[in-house]
Amino acid sequence: MENEPSIIYYFSQRDLRPSALRSDVKNHFGGGGLLAFPRVVAQELGSSSQLLTPILRAPETAYSYNPKEEAENVAEPFAVGSQISLVSSMQARNSARFTVLGSVEAFEDAWFDRAVQGPEGKAVKTSNRAFAKSLTAWTFMETGVLKVGKVEHHLSTISDSKSGNDSVAQLGYLNPKIYRIKNDVTFNIEMSEYSFDHLSPFTVSPDDKLQLEFTMLSPFHRLDLQPISTTLNSTIFSATFRLPDQHGIFSFRVNYKRPFLTNVDVKREVTVRHFAHDEWPRSWMISAGWVWIAGIWVTILGWVAFVALWLWSEPAYQQSQGKKLQ
């Protein structure tokens, strides 16, 4: 790249709208229709950075080459097939975004709703206008922006007579600073997704999971958060679990990072203490302690019996009948 220009040209006229990057990633740029991308600059992202994401890939039969070395047969193409990205994006760790468009002409008025030859040879209007709207909306953070609302946690009790969310009832007040080991705890988080000009309830892809970590250095629990209720502009996710038998400083953490969505990293610290001296179960309630309790009472009764026997068997004293010596 230091000796030669890094811009490689790939000539394309039509392509389909982008499909989802993965099954667990929401598609913000999909839809029907064809895209017209004249005089495209090919991009090869590689795999060195997780912050770079392709939005629109070239067809499998595509290839790119240096036009300065143009020949009838290209022996060593620069990139082929899905290695070529026509539209690429980067989202930084602070959720800042920028997009690289391989064809400037694709967003010109001349290519909006322009009739091009379709796969079956028929004239089809392009979808460049709709794609430009979705692409610019994502780039300028009008879509794919997550907002966290209320974050709550509290003690709870679980009823075996009920099922689902009705089996969990709140105990005490919200967001206490200290818990006890083996407490049943419920964690709730409210999340929304910004869609152009309003907030809408956030929905997780069926192949994806929104998870809660209860961690101290490393996670002790990693649980799936389930949606329990929905408002006009948010979804409330919840998880109920039992605290581990370990005291210390713990954190409720929701660390959700997905392509094309702003990063969510929510952390709430709490203290987990041992049982207090009056919270331990009594010894007679523990079956393993019955042997030791029996041993204590056997020792006490044996000592009382020994003392009583010793007192009862005391020898009688007799007066000496011998003469008194002078």
Side-chain angles (χ1 to χ4, degrees), residues 57-118:
R57 298 180 185 269
E60 296 181 355
T61 57
Y63 65 91
S64 64
Y65 63 94
N66 193 334
K68 294 181 180 180
E69 301 176 357
E70 183 174 355
E72 294 182 359
N73 297 321
V74 180
E76 296 181 358
F78 177 76
V80 296
S82 59
Q83 296 177 348
I84 304 172
S85 178
L86 307 182
V87 182
S88 307
S89 67
M90 193 208 79
Q91 180 169 273
R93 303 186 191 281
N94 64 348
S95 298
R97 298 170 174 175
F98 76 83
T99 303
V100 178
L101 181 65
S103 174
V104 179
E105 298 180 25
F107 282 4
E108 292 181 354
D109 292 341
W111 290 97
F112 283 178
D113 301 327
R114 182 170 178 174
V116 296
Q117 185 178 358

Side-chain angles (χ1 to χ4, degrees), residues 287-296:
S287 59
W290 293 349
V291 176
W292 310 103
I293 296 175
I296 292 173

Side-chain angles (χ1 to χ4, degrees), residues 106-282:
F107 282 4
E108 292 181 354
D109 292 341
W111 290 97
F112 283 178
D113 301 327
R114 182 170 178 174
V116 296
Q117 185 178 358
E120 300 179 355
K122 298 181 180 180
V124 180
K125 287 188 176 181
T126 64
S127 298
N128 287 30
R129 184 188 300 274
F131 179 69
K133 180 180 179 181
S134 60
L135 184 64
T136 54
W138 180 85
T139 304
F140 297 110
M141 305 192 76
E142 294 181 355
T143 59
V145 178
L146 299 182
K147 178 183 178 182
V148 176
K150 295 185 296 183
V151 179
E152 300 174 344
H153 54 87
H154 57 79
L155 285 171
S156 60
T157 179
I158 302 176
S159 175
D160 296 332
S161 61
K162 299 180 181 179
S163 60
N165 189 48
D166 295 335
S167 63
V168 180
Q170 178 180 342
L171 293 177
Y173 54 90
L174 291 173
N175 303 329
K177 297 296 183 181
I178 188 168
Y179 288 102
R180 194 204 68 202
I181 60 174
K182 296 185 178 181
N183 274 148
D184 291 325
V185 175
T186 298
F187 178 86
N188 299 326
I189 184 170
E190 182 183 21
M191 295 184 64
S192 306
E193 182 177 2
Y194 196 70
S195 179
F196 292 99
D197 58 352
H198 66 280
L199 290 172
S200 59
F202 173 63
T203 57
V204 181
S205 173
D207 296 330
D208 192 15
K209 299 293 183 182
L210 178 64
Q211 293 185 321
L212 166 70
E213 293 181 351
F214 191 70
T215 176
M216 181 178 63
L217 298 181
S218 60
F220 278 68
H221 289 293
R222 184 177 285 117
L223 307 168
D224 295 339
L225 288 165
Q226 303 296 335
I228 59 172
S229 63
T230 302
T231 64
L232 293 176
N233 54 14
S234 65
T235 303
I236 298 177
F237 298 87
S238 178
T240 300
F241 63 99
R242 178 160 292 181
L243 297 182
D245 190 4
Q246 174 68 43
H247 71 285
I249 306 299
F250 285 82
S251 296
F252 296 99
R253 187 179 185 187
V254 178
N255 187 15
Y256 188 74
K257 297 177 181 178
R258 298 294 185 272
F260 307 124
L261 292 174
T262 54
N263 299 329
V264 173
D265 192 357
V266 177
K267 184 186 293 186
R268 297 290 187 272
E269 289 188 353
V270 294
T271 301
V272 178
R273 62 172 177 82
H274 272 306
F275 282 98
H277 70 281
D278 58 348
E279 291 179 330
W280 293 97
R282 297 300 180 181

